[in-house]
Amino acid sequence: MSNKIQLDVVSDVMCPWCVVGYKNLEKAIQELGLEQKVGLTWQPFELNPDMPQEGENLREHLMRKYQISAEQSQQNRLNIAERGKEVGFTFDFYDEMRMVNSRHLHVLLEYANEHGKQTDLKLRFFTAHFSEQKDLSDLKVVKGELEQVGLDAEEALERLSQASYIEQVEAQEFQWQRLGISSVPTVVINRTSAVTGAQTVETYKQILLEELEQES
């Protein structure tokens, strides 16, 4: 087998467009039959690194951060929900929904990566947060999500009390920012080129095919 195409998906669990982008990327890989030719790793990015652990009401947060009205904020969520439907993902935005600090989730995703379950856990977190009205700042909730994908929740959560694992995630985030990544999702291809934003299935297919051509 020739070398795999390495995809680093720089993303935050709190980013709805990261769900849409991944679903289109996944479809592109499947339609091209490249499941065995592509290696995918999720890389950490925090939309709100200074957010307190318990977070902030999503609607109020978006209005403040982007200087938009309640109507614009509502319209944005309707647009995202519509895009979600197109890719087979349910966005259930509700009034009490919160934008929470995601650093602890990135630490756990690194743990999942070591056990071959990183994408499983990432998708579980996306679904819990956006579809199931679960509060991912609550470690009891997070424990249930870890168990649901077959990970040792006690061992994983133990990492959150060890500064070295948190510093490792912060260092990775800094590394990607230093390379110029300032928004998510960003898909980095073989550490040589990158595409930012939730692209269409066709765009991802084109990128993958160009990469295969270069390799051959």
Side-chain angles (χ1 to χ4, degrees):
M1 168 92 48
S2 61
N3 291 342
K4 283 191 172 188
I5 298 172
Q6 176 56 39
L7 301 179
D8 289 291
V9 183
V10 186
S11 147
D12 191 1
V13 175
M14 295 293 119
C15 162
W17 293 111
C18 291
V19 183
V20 174
Y22 173 73
K23 287 288 188 180
N24 284 338
L25 175 61
E26 180 184 48
K27 195 167 185 213
I29 291 167
Q30 287 168 350
E31 287 185 5
L32 292 172
L34 293 178
E35 291 93 337
Q36 303 307 314
K37 275 284 288 171
V38 169
L40 188 146
T41 306
W42 295 90
Q43 301 290 353
F45 187 97
E46 289 178 64
L47 289 169
N48 299 284
D50 301 323
M51 179 74 76
Q53 176 79 18
E54 71 280 2
E56 181 184 6
N57 178 276
L58 178 66
R59 186 179 55 236
E60 290 166 14
H61 168 77
L62 294 176
M63 285 164 62
R64 183 177 55 75
K65 185 172 182 177
Y66 298 108
Q67 302 284 298
I68 57 176
S69 67
E71 291 72 27
Q72 287 170 308
S73 178
Q74 174 66 12
Q75 189 55 51
N76 286 352
R77 289 197 293 279
L78 289 172
N79 292 347
I80 291 169
E82 198 49 49
R83 287 289 296 276
K85 263 193 210 124
E86 289 167 14
V87 299
F89 187 89
T90 303
F91 286 103
D92 181 11
F93 295 105
Y94 56 104
D95 284 346
E96 297 80 46
M97 190 166 185
R98 302 182 78 73
M99 171 74 82
V100 305
N101 187 306
S102 58
R103 193 165 305 148
H104 63 300
L105 303 176
H106 291 301
V107 172
L108 298 171
L109 286 162
E110 286 303 309
Y111 173 85
N113 192 31
E114 292 166 23
H115 293 81
K117 289 185 179 285
Q118 194 187 34
T119 294
D120 293 344
L121 186 62
K122 185 82 172 190
L123 296 179
R124 181 88 290 283
F125 282 161
F126 278 148
T127 302
H129 178 64
F130 288 114
S131 313
E132 298 173 348
Q133 302 196 1
K134 289 179 178 173
D135 177 6
L136 291 179
S137 70
D138 182 341
L139 293 184
K140 289 196 289 293
V141 171
V142 173
K143 182 173 189 265
E145 305 311 301
L146 289 160
E147 287 167 349
Q148 208 164 319
V149 298
L151 287 165
D152 183 332
E154 298 292 342
E155 187 178 76
L157 291 170
E158 177 60 32
R159 293 202 172 182
L160 301 181
S161 61
Q162 297 176 48
S164 60
Y165 290 112
I166 294 162
E167 286 161 7
Q168 179 192 342
V169 162
E170 289 169 345
Q172 284 172 281
E173 289 174 344
F174 180 67
Q175 178 203 341
W176 292 109
Q177 286 163 9
R178 214 180 60 225
L179 292 171
I181 292 172
S182 59
S183 64
V184 287
T186 296
V187 179
V188 181
I189 304 100
N190 283 335
R191 302 276 169 117
T192 55
S193 61
V195 58
T196 296
Q199 302 296 326
T200 62
V201 175
E202 289 312 312
T203 299
Y204 285 129
K205 280 166 89 166
Q206 190 183 335
I207 290 164
L208 291 166
L209 287 170
E210 281 171 12
E211 201 57 41
L212 283 172
E213 271 172 36
Q214 280 179 13
E215 283 189 8
S216 60

